[in-house]
Amino acid sequence: MEKPSSLQMLWLKKVGAIFLALTFWQIAAMKIHSRILLVTPIAVLKRLCTIWQVENFFSSIWFTFYHIAGGFLLGLILGILLAFLAHKIPVLEILFWPWMVTIKSVPVASFIVICLVWLSVNNLSIFISFLIVLPVIYQNILTGLKSGNREMKEMAQIFRVSPFRKLKYIIIPHLRPYLLSACTVTAGMAWKAGVAAEIIGTPSGSMGKMLFLAKTYLATDDLLAWTVIIVAISVISEKVFLYVLKKLLGESKRRDAA
Amino acid sequence: MNIKIRNLSKAFGEKQVLQNLSLEFASGKCHVIMGPSGCGKTTLLRILMGFEKQDAGTIEGLPVHKSAVFQEDRLCEDFSAVENVAMVLKKGFPRSEIAENLRAIGLDGDLNQPVSEYSGGMKRRVAIVRAVLAEADLIFLDEPFKGLDTDTRDLALQYFLSHTKGKTSIVVTHDEKEARMLAAAEHITHL
């Protein structure tokens, strides 16, 4: 029989660790023996099988998804635009600086409360995920632009390469790792902050509201089942988005037919 | 129109690299600049390319359309040899012609793989084809055949000469043989 590879071994170890954690959880829940304090993983699994029957289940998922994804995309686009502007016009970098530092350092909870005064609760998660994403994307892209290759700039200058081609052949390949790392970090953060905003603002028809209700009614199995769903959607959407982004940015790397 | 350099001087801090240099490059000829390391050959090219400003002196007759083979290859590593050349050419320039030129300089095999997978010598030749095919009245070459073995260098040199007839080019090299193959004696300058 063939020996498992090191990668397979790693996966086996990880699966083992998950199984061990679940066992620990199961034993702890059985010991505590309180459905309010801690339910067993089996109870959560059972609830996951039936939770889709809850009224507005799919619409809640869709509501939260498009608000957080919308905020993420807005932060992504504006972060890139502002970084390009700040790189082109240095005084703008100074002008943007207090805004970006404030956004980064003010706690998310404070922003949520402030925004509750200014915005309708329905748009809260868009704005919060936008705020989480914007400074990270801006900073990463600006760093990438600043570390631009002088030699390649000179090459483009002497050959009078058009701005579009410069973008395609020089700038995008250079910025690719900066953008991908920023998106990898912010995609998960946007979900966490967006759902936190929904739990505090409780917009009707959102997953945050579902979590809030589960907590109110002390339905711990519902609370954990919704948490599992949020984590699953967050991970899936992050993977899909990064896959699409890599494809888009990597398109120019593909082989060209002579 | 000839390129006329008058009393050109350039210093980097305390170090005087060029001092009252006067030269004239005849139009349509290949010119070679030779000299020991640090004598200012590359600095002169960089001033002519517009990347450095001289401290004193004048330059007349520089054309607008220029191309270059830099000391480094300066290729877009993620793209194929064909794309690297096409990038500096007018839209619609036949890809088959680019491939033909790349083959003429001895690049056989897959021309569509990213140049990051190429050897140093292969990259050098892509850089030469890029400079030769680009629409330019003046070509700068800073040690263009560096890192090529003798046979490949001779092939690349022949390719360069046959494709740049009537164009003005300024080549920096350390190699006497290379200099003699590229330019007539009166067009070789020792700095």
Side-chain angles (χ1 to χ4, degrees), chain A:
Chain A
M1 203 179 128
E2 218 175 288
K3 259 181 89 176
S5 67
S6 57
L7 192 69
Q8 284 171 325
M9 277 306 290
L10 184 70
W11 272 106
L12 278 172
K13 284 176 187 169
K14 282 184 175 177
V15 169
I18 292 169
F19 185 75
L20 209 65
L22 287 172
T23 310
F24 177 76
W25 176 6
Q26 177 76 27
I27 293 167
M30 284 161 71
K31 284 268 177 209
I32 292 167
H33 199 62
S34 163
R35 287 198 61 191
I36 292 172
L37 287 177
L38 188 64
V39 288
T40 64
I42 292 169
V44 175
L45 193 66
K46 275 185 189 163
R47 186 64 187 119
L48 274 172
C49 295
T50 55
I51 202 165
W52 62 272
Q53 293 162 334
V54 168
E55 200 184 345
N56 299 331
F57 174 79
F58 292 105
S59 63
S60 313
I61 291 177
W62 174 239
F63 179 96
T64 300
F65 174 78
Y66 86 77
H67 277 80
I68 292 174
F72 177 85
L73 289 177
L74 271 177
L76 176 70
I77 293 164
L78 199 69
I80 294 172
L81 274 176
L82 293 183
F84 269 87
L85 276 174
H87 182 63
K88 196 86 186 153
I89 310 163
V91 72
L92 287 180
E93 189 189 347
I94 305 292
L95 292 174
F96 293 158
W97 174 75
W99 294 90
M100 294 300 168
V101 169
T102 307
I103 296 170
K104 265 199 285 190
S105 44
V106 170
V108 180
S110 304
F111 264 125
I112 295 170
V113 176
I114 295 166
C115 294
L116 275 173
V117 180
W118 297 338
L119 298 169
S120 94
V121 285
N122 283 341
N123 295 325
L124 188 63
S125 50
I126 292 188
F127 193 64
I128 292 300
S129 51
F130 162 78
L131 284 181
I132 288 292
V133 172
L134 178 76
V136 182
I137 299 282
Y138 167 81
Q139 197 54 56
N140 261 36
I141 296 296
L142 188 60
T143 307
L145 287 170
K146 280 182 175 177
S147 71
N149 191 331
R150 182 182 61 92
E151 292 178 351
M152 292 306 279
K153 278 184 196 160
E154 288 180 354
M155 184 278 289
Q157 190 185 325
I158 200 137
F159 285 105
R160 300 173 309 282
V161 177
S162 70
F164 174 74
R165 284 181 176 181
K166 236 190 279 182
L167 192 72
K168 179 185 171 190
Y169 289 97
I170 300 170
I171 299 171
I172 290 180
H174 176 71
L175 290 181
R176 191 176 187 267
Y178 293 93
L179 186 60
L180 284 177
S181 76
C183 287
T184 308
V185 171
T186 52
M189 281 161 58
W191 267 92
K192 285 189 184 116
V195 171
E198 283 186 352
I199 291 169
I200 296 172
T202 60
S204 50
S206 69
M207 284 206 280
K209 172 107 181 199
M210 294 295 193
L211 272 172
F212 181 78
L213 290 177
K215 181 223 125 192
T216 308
Y217 298 127
L218 302 173
T220 314
D221 50 351
D222 273 24
L223 190 70
L224 292 177
W226 275 112
T227 306
V228 170
I229 292 166
I230 289 167
V231 170
I233 294 169
S234 152
V235 170
I236 292 167
S237 58
E238 181 188 325
K239 298 277 178 212
V240 169
F241 173 75
L242 287 175
Y243 175 80
V244 172
L245 190 65
K246 275 179 194 169
K247 282 274 167 199
L248 280 174
L249 296 176
E251 233 169 44
S252 53
K253 291 174 82 175
R254 297 293 163 258
R255 294 178 180 199
D256 170 57

Side-chain angles (χ1 to χ4, degrees), chain B residues 20-38:
Chain B
N20 283 328
L21 178 74
S22 293
L23 278 173
E24 184 161 344
F25 297 115
S27 176
K29 301 286 178 199
C30 180
H31 302 266
V32 172
I33 300 170
M34 299 190 73
S37 298

